[in-house]
Amino acid sequence: MTMKPILIKNILQLTPQSQTVKVSGWVRTFRNNQFISLNDGSTIKNLQIVVDFQNFPEELLKKIHTGTSITVTGKLVPSLGKGQTHEVVAEALDIIGECSPEEYPLQPKKHSLEFLREIAHLRMRTTTFQSVFKVRSGLAFAIHQYFQQHGFVYIHSPIITASDAEGAGELFQVTTLNLNNIPKTETGEVDFSEDFFGKPANLTVSGQLEAELAAMAFSKVYTFGPTFRAENSNTPRHLAEFWMIEPEMAFYELPDNMDLAEDMLKYLIQYAFNNFPDELEFLQQRQSEEEKQKPQNERSSMPLLEKLNFCIKESFERLTYTQAIDILENSSYNKKKKFQFPVQWGMDLQTEHERYLVEKEFNKPVILTDYPKAIKAFYMRQNDDDKTVRAMDILFPGIGEIIGGSQREERLDKLEQRMKEMRISAKDMYWYLDTRRFGTVPHSGFGLGFERLVQFVTGMSNIRDVIPFPRTPKNCEF
Ligand code: ATP
Ligand code: MN
């Protein structure tokens, strides 16, 4: 029987005692015609392969370059060199796939993140992106683990929907109509009765409304899937395709919602901490080098691991939108006119305001509640002041908004009245209103942007670097 290759991760856990091992991977570097640094992605660590050039034909050794895939069989011994504990003394070496050093864009030197974005089909072969995507994978698993352990039912909300109650203007339309020959009605409008669904359809901007339906059956549910928004802005925090986690809980009021969100975020950060120490260590190093390039006043005050730890230990600061506006108005920042957007009650907070509160005022995560109703969605529960709603946004250092949520309006009359004011068709939304007609209960939920969480945990400053293949305006490559 032929020997099976062992993952490098597992090899590094063995006690080296000259046992024979077989290993397959890609060459990261080949130094002095003697040392191969081999990576197979099972860990961000490389395995050192020692090649005695006298034992191998020159023709073969000439084919070993950065990117070449090889299989090696040899003896596993303790390494005396610096930087590694194990090494394999090669006895047999096969080239599986060659890699031309003249053509291969990834060379063993520092490439900029911008350059790597242009070669996103190859960037996963770098330690930076292996670290990011391993943490991403772990966090996705941890999300399921957290909710499953807490009695939540996982609901698959639809990706194609015909309800456009949310996110007007940000919708990607889904159609099978021939764009070169669009059927028109007698009055000259697009005849959607001829379209695939017989009416306009679009990609979902949120699974919340469907999650609410499910919460009325299971009490506690969550969705976790792709979400699409035709955000026509290029920011380091927005994607056109991103993943969202949306728990929805019956019999939860706003404070319960905040408690859950805080507990969940801390659990997820702790999970990364416990399970990805090597990756986070590497990312911390990477980030601190990046920080050195920035002007003094824009540098983040804490190294990555310290920042993560800090967010686990501290309780999040909770205050109302109105209190936050007060703080912003009276800040020396505002008086010195350092905000680009002037502060005023009723405004939607900009990232600069959110970051001021988190990074300058409180120096920890902040939960803002009770926003003006005019800037929030129709389904949020109305407060008695007739001006604000039971909304909550969670703001994180370096990120701004990471979670948006609310207690939902469970009173049929109040909801219908708000929909009328906002010109949302009660007829089209009958199925949503049915939850308020048939056994309505107080309930709450929120949306966590998965990439923003990954950004926070990995310390990557651009959201395009935490999803394998980012979709942004004019960019749908790979
Ligand atoms: P923002 O003001 O940052 O655009 P939002 O108010 O549009 O956010 P929500 O509709 O409340 O966000 O969505 C819930 C969460 O989804 C946000 O808190 C954020 O983490 C994430 N999110 C929203 N839009 C995007 C996007 N375009 N790309 C990535 N994540 C997003
Ligand atoms: Mn938005």
Side-chain angles (χ1 to χ4, degrees):
M1 210 178 88
T2 56
M3 206 176 168
K4 281 212 177 99
I6 315 177
L7 292 176
I8 291 176
K9 180 183 174 189
N10 297 335
I11 288 186
L12 294 177
Q13 275 158 12
L14 298 173
T15 310
Q17 42 196 7
S18 293
Q19 65 270 53
T20 299
V21 295
K22 184 174 175 181
V23 55
S24 297
W26 293 265
V27 173
R28 278 289 165 85
T29 56
F30 186 29
R31 285 185 295 123
N32 306 335
N33 218 18
Q34 192 180 10
F35 299 110
I36 295 173
S37 182
L38 193 71
N39 185 277
D40 69 358
S42 61
T43 158
I44 58 167
K45 290 186 181 148
N46 301 325
L47 179 64
Q48 173 150 291
I49 311 288
V50 184
V51 184
D52 183 343
F53 68 90
Q54 291 173 353
N55 297 343
F56 296 93
E58 205 186 327
E59 281 312 300
L60 180 105
L61 297 184
K62 269 198 196 148
K63 291 181 181 164
I64 303 176
H65 303 287
T66 296
T68 306
S69 50
I70 61 172
T71 293
V72 177
T73 309
K75 296 245 184 306
L76 183 66
V77 299
S79 177
L80 302 176
K82 258 172 93 182
Q84 67 274 326
T85 49
H86 296 57
E87 63 191 25
V88 172
V89 181
E91 289 169 353
L93 195 162
D94 290 314
I95 308 276
I96 311 295
E98 292 184 38
C99 184
S100 153
E102 286 77 39
E103 291 167 40
Y104 190 49
L106 274 182
Q107 290 304 317
K109 60 162 197 165
K110 209 155 182 56
H111 293 296
S112 73
L113 293 174
E114 290 78 13
F115 171 73
L116 291 170
R117 239 170 261 151
E118 286 167 19
I119 52 163
H121 60 305
L122 299 171
R123 68 176 178 171
M124 283 188 258
R125 303 175 181 204
T126 65
T127 311
T128 297
F129 286 96
Q130 279 183 342
S131 301
V132 169
F133 295 131
K134 272 170 174 277
V135 172
R136 182 182 169 110
S137 158
L139 284 171
F141 177 75
I143 281 159
H144 285 295
Q145 183 152 290
Y146 180 83
F147 285 115
Q148 297 283 336
Q149 279 173 359
H150 287 80
F152 283 69
V153 175
Y154 180 31
I155 297 293
H156 290 115
S157 49
I159 288 179
I160 301 175
T161 77
S163 82
D164 62 355
E166 271 201 284
E170 294 184 352
L171 300 173
F172 283 103
Q173 192 150 357
V174 175
T175 182
T176 51
L177 293 178
N178 178 355
L179 296 183
N180 293 316
N181 185 13
I182 299 171
K184 297 278 174 70
T185 61
E186 276 165 21
T187 51
E189 274 141 27
V190 177
D191 185 3
F192 283 104
S193 70
E194 296 211 10
D195 203 351
F196 190 88
F197 298 106
K199 57 181 169 180
N202 52 268
L203 296 177
T204 183
V205 295
S206 158
Q208 180 200 319
L209 301 186
E210 290 88 357
E212 282 189 57
L213 309 179
M216 296 304 125
F218 298 103
S219 287
K220 297 203 282 186
V221 302
Y222 69 108
T223 70
F224 184 8
T227 308
F228 307 86
R229 293 187 189 175
E231 312 257 17
N232 216 347
S233 57
N234 275 302
T235 83
R237 282 173 306 277
H238 289 90
L239 291 164
E241 177 180 291
F242 64 101
W243 286 63
M244 188 143 64
I245 297 100
E246 295 182 275
E248 192 69 37
M249 297 75 62
F251 312 107
Y252 268 50
E253 298 191 10
L254 197 65
D256 310 310
N257 204 20
M258 289 193 270
D259 291 344
L260 176 77
E262 183 169 342
D263 187 61
M264 176 202 68
L265 286 169
K266 288 177 172 172
Y267 174 90
L268 296 174
I269 297 167
Q270 185 71 55
Y271 182 93
F273 223 88
N274 296 348
N275 291 277
F276 297 94
D278 297 342
E279 288 78 3
L280 293 180
E281 188 76 43
F282 177 86
L283 289 165
Q284 165 164 282
Q285 191 64 35
R286 191 210 67 81
Q287 193 194 36
S288 79
E289 277 161 30
E290 188 183 85
E291 290 290 314
K292 284 186 205 139
Q293 317 294 324
K294 292 187 191 164
Q296 194 85 37
N297 62 337
E298 282 174 32
R299 288 184 199 168
S300 97
S301 51
M302 278 184 213
L304 182 61
L305 289 169
E306 204 182 311
K307 192 178 69 178
L308 298 182
N309 219 343
F310 184 77
C311 285
I312 298 170
K313 297 251 156 63
E314 292 286 322
S315 337
F316 296 2
E317 187 72 33
R318 300 180 184 192
L319 69 159
T320 65
Y321 167 92
T322 303
Q323 289 168 325
I325 290 287
D326 256 8
I327 290 171
L328 291 169
E329 273 182 333
N330 293 316
S331 67
S332 61
Y333 238 66
N334 192 39
K335 290 181 179 145
K336 289 187 200 144
K337 303 216 178 325
K338 280 205 201 163
F339 291 126
Q340 194 190 339
F341 296 87
V343 180
Q344 193 185 5
W345 198 96
M347 74 183 299
D348 209 351
L349 295 181
Q350 301 293 322
T351 304
E352 56 174 347
H353 307 124
E354 298 176 341
R355 292 189 60 173
Y356 178 87
L357 292 168
V358 174
E359 289 158 42
K360 300 271 186 305
E361 180 71 20
F362 295 110
N363 210 0
K364 56 173 162 169
V366 171
I367 313 186
L368 290 187
T369 60
D370 303 285
Y371 281 72
K373 70 174 180 183
I375 58 171
K376 290 292 185 187
F378 72 95
Y379 49 71
M380 295 192 182
R381 194 177 202 278
Q382 296 161 54
N383 281 321
D384 295 337
D385 64 9
D386 211 30
K387 290 195 318 213
T388 59
V389 287
R390 294 299 263 164
M392 65 165 207
D393 278 7
I394 302 190
L395 316 178
F396 257 42
I399 303 282
E401 182 188 330
I402 194 165
I403 278 182
S406 66
Q407 182 173 337
R408 319 304 188 190
E409 182 55 81
E410 85 282 13
R411 298 162 295 186
L412 181 63
D413 55 335
K414 294 266 183 194
L415 185 59
E416 280 178 331
Q417 173 213 327
R418 190 74 188 126
M419 286 170 73
K420 204 177 261 167
E421 285 166 12
M422 294 176 79
R423 295 171 196 279
I424 295 165
S425 160
K427 190 164 147 277
D428 291 349
M429 298 285 288
Y430 77 93
W431 49 273
Y432 183 69
L433 290 167
D434 270 359
T435 54
R436 276 65 170 173
R437 285 191 191 102
F438 308 134
T440 191
V441 297
H443 62 288
S444 302
F446 60 82
L448 165 65
F450 186 51
E451 284 74 18
R452 294 202 189 165
L453 173 71
V454 181
Q455 261 191 292
F456 178 71
V457 173
T458 59
M460 299 299 284
S461 48
N462 195 312
I463 199 166
R464 296 160 205 223
D465 295 330
V466 300
I467 187 164
F469 303 104
R471 269 75 179 99
T472 51
K474 304 280 178 289
N475 174 26
C476 193
E477 192 74 16
F478 317 112

